[in-house]
Amino acid sequence: FKNKDYKTAVQMYCQAIAGKGDDFTLFGNRSAAYLALGRAQDALLDASKSIMLSKKQGKPWAKGYYRLGCALEALKKFPEAVESFEEGLKIDPSSKALKNRYEQSCDRRVDADDKQLRARGTARRDLVLKLREVR
């Protein structure tokens, strides 16, 4: 992973998970490798699995929520990403990485909301203009 050979990293994590399928850090790390390869949906699944396993073992893992938030951002699911980063910050309030991504995700959510509102307004305006033309 450190060499940025993410395809090999995924393969290695798959082998490690086959031998130790309850290690939540392996799923979290494979999630990061998937994300680096542009496979956001796979990253999302692994991040979710890492969170589930860490909770099941009584060891909530803030980095799992970080990984989940990053995957959600890649899928443009900004409100959900914000929630994930918030959950991670509840576990590790001192995490600079979580704080930074939380703030960035909040900004992206606002931008996405603004775009949707503008798009709706434009569509409505276009409809009104067409109705006026028909009259």
Side-chain angles (χ1 to χ4, degrees), residues 17 24-35 39-55 61-72 84:
I17 287 168
F24 56 86
T25 63
L26 293 174
F27 284 95
N29 291 338
R30 188 172 68 176
S31 173
Y34 276 140
L35 194 57
R39 294 173 57 181
Q41 193 63 44
D42 291 324
L44 179 72
L45 294 173
D46 272 3
S48 298
K49 179 82 172 182
S50 76
I51 291 168
M52 183 197 69
L53 287 171
S54 70
K55 283 182 176 180
W61 193 45
K63 193 178 269 189
Y65 287 99
Y66 178 85
R67 302 278 195 237
L68 181 64
C70 292
L72 288 164
S84 182

Side-chain angles (χ1 to χ4, degrees), residues 62-113:
K63 193 178 269 189
Y65 287 99
Y66 178 85
R67 302 278 195 237
L68 181 64
C70 292
L72 288 164
E73 279 186 331
L75 294 167
K76 306 219 182 301
K77 296 183 177 187
F78 300 112
E80 294 91 340
V82 168
E83 289 175 17
S84 182
F85 294 129
E86 285 175 341
E87 288 300 312
L89 284 167
K90 288 177 187 175
I91 297 166
D92 184 4
S94 65
S95 170
K96 289 181 183 180
L98 275 165
K99 285 179 188 176
N100 290 339
R101 287 307 283 262
Y102 169 76
E103 290 169 3
Q104 291 172 3
S105 199
C106 284
D107 291 343
R108 289 182 180 128
R109 179 179 63 182
V110 168
D111 291 344
D113 289 348

